[in-house]
Amino acid sequence: MIVYSATKREFIDDVRSNKIAEIIENEVLRKLNRNSPRSETLSWENSLQYMSQVLWDEDIPASAGVSIEYNLPMTNRRVDFILTGKDHNRNDSAVIIELKQWQEAKKTDKDAIVKTRFQHGEKETNHPSYQAWSYSALIEDYNETVRKESIRLQPCAYLHNMKSGDVLNDPFYSHHTGKAPVFISQDALKLSEFLKRHVKFGDSDNIMYRIEHGVIKPSKNLADALASMLNGNSEFLMIDEQKLVYETAISLAHIAQKEKKQTLIVKGGPGTGKSVVAINLLSELTKRDMLVQYVSKNAAPREVFKKKLTGSKKKTHIDQMFKGSGAYTEVEANQFGALLIDEAHRLNEKSGLYGNLGENQIKELILGSRFNVFFIDEAQRVTLQDIGNVETIKSWAQELESEVTELSLVSQFRCNGSDGYLSWVDNCLQIRETANQTLDDIDYDVQVFDDPNVLRAAIVDKNRLTNKARLVAGYCWDWNSKKDKSASDIVIPEYNFEAQWNLTEDGSLWMIAEKSVEQVGCIHTCQGLELDYIGVIIGDDFVIRDGIAVTNANNRSSNDRSIRGFKKLLKEAPEKARKVTDEIIKNTYRTLMTRGQKGCYLFCTDPETRDYFLQLAARKEETETTSEPYQDLELPIASFDNAMPYKTHVPIYDLYAAAGGFSEQQNLEECSWVELPDHINIKDDMFVMRVVGESMNRRIANGSWCLFRANPAGTRNGKIVLVQHREIEDPDHGGSYTIKLYHSEKTAIDGEQINTRITLKPDTNAFGYSPIILDNPEEDLTVIGEYLGVIG
């Protein structure tokens, strides 16, 4: 999605008329369904004024494309500014420009990380060159259209308020500035020169439209890429906060080995890359000769990772890399160099099968390592035994004299990068009220089914593609098949639906096991993992009554250990019991509904709840609108068979269909014909075409339908003509033809008058149109037609 798209000329006009910030603000509200804070609006006003000045250079074509706030594929990140056109060799080119308001920056000892001042104080962030390059690389990685059609991407950064670039251009960052140069306040002319090197001709082939609507390749799956990552390959490009967390962790790990113990708390919701950063750290810290382990309370991600690594490493090595959170009850202090605790919200107080070992898992993890990273999302606590929260971690770190650093991950890589979908889920489950009460403009496949059998069939169908679709449910049915292999578990009799919970033999590998799409999983077999599509059966533990979400732990199966102790707590503290279980039930469905990267399919056992989700999942009817090619023309249009060619009718051409190749028009029998007024003496060399742009607005208004005579003979000096030449481009539409006043200079050579220079002049009161001068006009110049007048 692009918030703002225009030509360079239109962009400059919007800036000069002081409309640009208001236009973008309105488009953000319309397309993204959010209001823009005043600080954001001011940044657009400021930065885009500077960009318009850079683009004033006449050698940057007026028909170059300008795109603002382009949504990176599969993420919630946006590119500030993109200039599109063609380079000197007429290759498609897009310059990605990261705009910054910074006035100064400080160097750090972390790769691609600098320190600068923001609204709420100074903090570390990505070097602008790294950010611009990573965005460019992400587009190229995800967008098959960019690769297959050889659209050349060139990143850079423009810090228009910064007076000194010494820090940003320090040799320490040269690896990144070499990929994406950085320009500061006094570099405006240098930036113009840079843009002209990559965009010499306009965007006549809708480059940004092709990028925006390009084919997006499927997202990588962490489990599938695991072996390659542990061998040191960069399978996932880390952007923004991911890069900052990774580099901060590397730095703190080294400090911890020599100086004071360190604890890093990383907060992040579903799909923000917590596990990706953890696995990258596991690989890098191991390479740096630290004793490091990946830790998770939930067995499912550990066992899936181990299975994926089978055959690439020794089993003993694999087992030592991945551990459960209860494995540290008897470790010595600082025995490990680093422990990476994923899904830290799932940590328990006690360990062991019967919950009778150790004192506190958080304490044991901090005590046992010099450096520990807790990746946490408190909204994914799904059992009464889960004690993982930020305050508890900080409390134990303080007691064990471990210095705490807190960071957050917000870049969304799951659910098609849609913050909107995650907010919609929270709103539906009434976890919090959000602005995303509908799915309008949310690029994520959500469907609500009236029949669980149809839901299952849809998931099975999606699974045929990549074996990455599964059906899950709230734990509202007993696990009968655990003892009786022939028994059914999830039974919904009114629909003749029966299914079994995940097989015992699959265990924690259910998400990747062959044919496991035939069973139903639960929170314990999918948390911490991801799929392409997830089907969710919402049971009677979550229902809607008169628009209000009502949760009832009593409607959960007695087999469900996640609420073990609920009845005792209900007797001792009923209000607390209801509050805690309400949170657990809602968090459970939130977690289940965010396992899919591409889509979530739903069925609710309760009819009123189903109607509620159907209503919230309904999207606006998208009526297909086709642009009438001859709109605003009151004269009758006919096909060849229904016209009287060159008697009452002449051909009419769509301007954009002619772009770059007017002389190769379609067969006359295939084009449309327009009936001319009676007073026009029709000749068989006439045609009609719309003129767009303001370059001839003293005589021809923008959008006028005009009559031309083809291939005019005789002198053309002083006439308005339609010409085509491979070395020109029209400033309004970027094509290799243009409509201008014709003026030629001739020289006698061997007694013959030869054109030595042709000037194509605009006739306009608009800003920025310049004559097109051809010093070697005899090569490839074609005068297509002479303008006769406006007909509509």
Side-chain angles (χ1 to χ4, degrees):
M1 181 188 294
I2 298 171
V3 169
Y4 173 93
S5 182
T7 64
K8 166 195 148 176
R9 178 177 307 284
E10 292 166 340
F11 166 70
I12 289 177
D13 287 345
D14 286 339
V15 173
R16 293 180 72 220
S17 61
N18 293 320
K19 295 178 181 176
I20 189 66
E22 181 182 355
I23 292 171
I24 296 175
E25 185 176 10
N26 290 337
E27 287 301 289
V28 166
L29 179 60
R30 186 176 71 87
K31 293 182 177 180
L32 304 182
N33 194 31
R34 69 169 176 85
N35 293 311
S36 303
R38 180 58 180 157
S39 59
E40 189 175 35
T41 305
L42 288 174
S43 73
W44 289 325
E45 290 178 351
N46 191 19
S47 293
L48 297 179
Q49 285 281 353
Y50 281 99
M51 274 308 304
S52 72
Q53 293 171 22
V54 169
L55 295 180
W56 271 39
D57 192 309
E58 291 184 354
D59 290 334
I60 299 174
S63 58
V66 169
S67 299
I68 297 172
E69 298 286 341
Y70 165 63
N71 195 161
L72 286 169
M74 302 302 292
T75 79
N76 60 351
R77 301 288 88 184
R78 312 192 74 83
V79 177
D80 291 335
F81 197 100
I82 302 179
L83 185 73
T84 52
K86 294 179 181 291
D87 64 16
H88 288 70
N89 297 316
R90 291 195 177 270
N91 298 310
D92 292 340
S93 179
V95 183
I96 292 168
I97 307 167
E98 182 63 27
L99 299 173
K100 298 292 185 190
Q101 305 266 348
W102 303 357
Q103 294 184 352
E104 60 180 19
K106 296 179 182 178
K107 182 182 172 184
T108 72
D109 60 355
K110 301 169 187 173
D111 179 58
I113 302 299
V114 295
K115 187 179 290 187
T116 191
R117 183 166 294 280
F118 292 93
Q119 184 177 1
H120 299 295
E122 191 175 74
K123 67 176 185 177
E124 292 181 333
T125 188
N126 288 182
H127 189 290
S129 293
Y130 178 86
Q131 187 174 5
W133 168 80
S134 65
Y135 286 3
S136 172
L138 204 62
I139 296 172
E140 192 164 7
D141 185 31
Y142 277 122
N143 196 308
E144 291 185 4
T145 301
V146 169
R147 295 195 307 277
K148 289 181 178 179
E149 298 183 10
S150 300
I151 299 173
R152 303 186 178 194
L153 306 181
Q154 178 58 59
C156 68
Y158 184 30
L159 289 81
H160 46 77
N161 292 336
M162 186 172 285
K163 302 302 182 185
S164 172
D166 292 347
V167 170
L168 296 181
N169 288 304
D170 189 279
F172 179 71
Y173 300 115
S174 60
H175 175 70
H176 305 293
T177 53
K179 293 179 179 179
V182 60
F183 301 92
I184 60 170
S185 176
Q186 54 263 45
D187 293 335
L189 295 179
K190 291 181 181 178
L191 177 56
S192 290
E193 293 298 320
F194 178 82
L195 296 178
K196 286 188 290 185
R197 288 203 301 273
H198 297 284
V199 179
K200 177 177 173 58
F201 302 103
D203 187 351
S204 58
D205 289 327
N206 295 317
I207 296 168
M208 203 60 221
Y209 178 89
R210 284 153 52 208
I211 292 176
E212 182 184 16
H213 296 88
V215 177
I216 304 301
K217 74 176 186 180
S219 298
K220 294 176 183 176
N221 183 281
L222 174 60
D224 294 340
L226 187 66
S228 177
M229 292 171 69
L230 292 179
N231 285 329
N233 298 316
S234 180
E235 290 288 338
F236 291 88
L237 184 67
M238 289 183 288
I239 65 170
D240 299 342
E241 313 86 17
Q242 294 172 330
K243 177 67 171 175
L244 177 60
V245 168
Y246 175 82
E247 294 298 336
T248 300
I250 296 293
S251 177
L252 292 175
H254 284 285
I255 292 172
Q257 308 313 307
K258 300 174 183 178
E259 302 173 26
K260 189 175 182 180
K261 282 167 69 80
Q262 299 289 328
T263 292
L264 174 60
I265 300 173
V266 181
K267 294 172 284 188
T272 52
K274 299 186 296 295
S275 298
V276 167
V277 175
I279 296 299
N280 274 313
L281 287 172
L282 177 63
S283 173
E284 184 61 28
L285 296 178
T286 299
K287 282 197 302 185
R288 299 191 184 202
D289 297 324
M290 293 184 200
L291 180 57
V292 55
Q293 291 182 337
Y294 171 98
V295 183
S296 74
K297 163 65 172 64
N298 196 356
R302 295 199 316 273
E303 295 307 313
V304 168
F305 292 165
K306 288 180 182 181
K307 180 69 174 179
K308 292 289 185 178
L309 289 172
T310 300
S312 64
K313 298 180 182 296
K314 292 181 179 179
K315 185 178 185 305
T316 53
H317 185 196
I318 296 172
D319 288 341
Q320 281 302 310
M321 294 178 74
F322 298 94
K323 292 290 185 181
S325 57
Y328 301 89
T329 56
E330 298 181 3
V331 298
E332 298 177 3
N334 300 327
Q335 179 176 330
F336 295 91
L339 293 176
L340 310 170
I341 304 98
D342 207 355
E343 306 284 321
H345 39 272
R346 292 299 318 279
L347 294 174
N348 291 170
E349 184 175 25
K350 298 288 186 177
S351 301
L353 182 62
Y354 301 102
N356 60 346
L357 299 178
E359 179 184 352
N360 183 290
Q361 289 184 353
I362 296 174
K363 174 186 178 182
E364 290 150 7
L365 289 162
I366 297 174
L367 178 69
S369 61
R370 297 210 62 84
F371 173 56
N372 41 81
V373 186
F374 291 90
F375 296 93
I376 187 167
D377 177 10
E378 292 179 351
Q380 289 194 56
R381 294 173 61 201
V382 294
T383 80
L384 285 175
Q385 290 75 43
D386 293 349
I387 64 165
N389 62 70
V390 173
E391 290 307 313
T392 302
I393 295 170
K394 289 166 66 174
S395 176
W396 278 115
Q398 182 178 4
E399 182 169 326
L400 297 169
E401 297 183 344
S402 182
E403 193 169 85
V404 175
T405 302
E406 291 185 67
L407 291 173
S408 295
L409 292 170
V410 296
S411 297
Q412 172 58 232
F413 276 83
R414 193 182 291 154
C415 306
N416 270 4
S418 175
D419 283 331
Y421 172 67
L422 297 180
S423 295
W424 180 84
V425 170
D426 285 351
N427 191 77
C428 286
L429 298 175
Q430 299 182 18
I431 293 172
R432 62 186 178 97
E433 188 174 350
T434 73
N436 297 93
Q437 298 184 10
T438 72
L439 289 167
D440 294 334
D441 300 317
I442 293 176
D443 183 21
Y444 189 72
D445 186 7
V446 179
Q447 297 183 40
V448 182
F449 290 80
D450 290 325
D451 187 326
N453 295 287
V454 181
L455 166 63
R456 177 163 53 187
I459 289 297
V460 169
D461 184 59
K462 290 295 184 183
N463 191 62
R464 291 191 182 100
L465 301 175
T466 57
N467 191 35
K468 288 185 172 63
R470 295 293 184 273
L471 191 61
V472 296
Y475 209 158
C476 297
W477 294 269
D478 291 344
W479 193 358
N480 301 318
S481 63
K482 188 173 185 180
K483 296 179 180 179
D484 179 0
K485 301 296 184 184
S486 64
S488 295
D489 300 314
I490 299 95
V491 178
I492 310 176
E494 60 268 37
Y495 294 96
N496 294 318
F497 178 87
E498 294 185 5
Q500 290 185 327
W501 287 117
N502 48 280
L503 299 178
T504 308
E505 51 264 36
D506 290 338
S508 297
L509 294 175
W510 173 79
M511 285 275 275
I512 60 171
E514 188 178 358
K515 297 184 179 180
S516 64
V517 71
E518 298 173 3
Q519 290 88 44
V520 178
C522 69
I523 187 67
H524 308 300
T525 48
C526 69
Q527 190 170 21
L529 296 168
E530 60 191 20
L531 296 158
D532 285 346
Y533 289 88
I534 192 75
V536 182
I537 298 175
I538 297 178
D540 287 345
D541 57 342
F542 179 95
V543 299
I544 299 295
R545 293 294 177 262
D546 298 324
I548 304 299
V550 179
T551 59
N552 188 345
N554 287 311
N555 287 334
R556 284 221 170 171
S557 166
S558 58
N559 299 147
D560 182 13
R561 298 180 63 188
S562 65
I563 56 170
R564 187 175 60 184
F566 157 67
K567 292 184 178 179
K568 179 182 177 182
L569 183 62
L570 189 61
K571 292 179 181 178
E572 297 173 351
E575 190 61 34
K576 179 181 179 182
R578 280 188 282 269
K579 180 179 179 181
V580 171
T581 55
D582 179 77
E583 178 184 334
I584 287 171
I585 291 169
K586 290 178 178 179
N587 284 352
T588 296
Y589 285 117
R590 181 181 192 266
T591 303
L592 294 177
M593 291 171 67
T594 55
R595 294 306 92 194
Q597 290 182 304
K598 297 179 180 179
C600 175
Y601 296 170
L602 293 170
F603 172 79
C604 306
T605 55
D606 176 68
E608 186 176 342
T609 308
R610 195 182 320 140
D611 290 341
Y612 167 81
F613 276 97
L614 274 168
Q615 183 178 352
L616 290 177
R619 300 176 190 261
K620 290 179 183 175
E621 287 289 333
E622 294 186 10
T623 55
E624 186 175 341
T625 58
T626 56
S627 177
E628 168 56 51
Y630 308 116
Q631 58 188 345
D632 305 326
L633 182 60
E634 296 181 358
L635 299 175
I637 303 296
S639 65
F640 178 83
D641 292 337
N642 297 321
M644 298 179 65
Y646 301 117
K647 293 182 180 179
T648 57
H649 293 71
V650 298
I652 184 168
Y653 297 128
D654 181 0
L655 177 71
Y656 290 101
F662 192 93
S663 60
E664 301 174 7
Q665 276 299 326
Q666 63 263 47
N667 187 296
L668 290 179
E669 295 186 9
E670 297 176 354
C671 71
S672 296
W673 292 72
V674 59
E675 183 178 344
L676 296 183
D678 293 339
H679 69 270
I680 297 178
N681 185 18
I682 297 174
K683 305 291 184 181
D684 60 8
D685 57 359
M686 290 181 176
F687 64 90
V688 170
M689 193 175 79
R690 184 196 287 264
V691 175
V692 297
E694 303 289 348
S695 65
M696 297 297 294
N697 66 12
R698 291 184 187 275
R699 306 189 193 198
I700 307 172
N702 183 10
S704 297
W705 290 98
C706 301
L707 183 64
F708 291 85
R709 181 172 66 235
N711 305 315
T715 181
R716 297 154 183 161
N717 265 335
K719 295 181 177 179
I720 298 175
V721 293
L722 168 65
V723 301
Q724 183 175 8
H725 192 284
R726 65 181 178 86
E727 286 300 325
I728 70 171
E729 68 161 37
D730 186 88
D732 288 307
H733 58 71
S736 60
Y737 65 95
T738 190
I739 297 170
K740 295 287 182 291
L741 277 167
Y742 183 99
H743 176 75
S744 66
E745 299 175 20
K746 300 180 182 290
T747 301
I749 300 177
D750 297 331
E752 184 179 357
Q753 294 290 318
I754 303 295
N755 287 326
T756 55
R757 170 178 286 193
I758 289 178
T759 303
L760 303 172
K761 299 179 179 179
D763 187 14
T764 181
N765 54 17
F767 166 79
Y769 287 95
S770 301
I772 299 172
I773 299 173
L774 302 174
D775 289 321
N776 192 15
E778 295 301 322
E779 292 186 8
D780 299 320
L781 177 68
T782 303
V783 178
I784 297 169
E786 175 188 347
Y787 165 76
L788 299 177
V790 174
I791 64 167

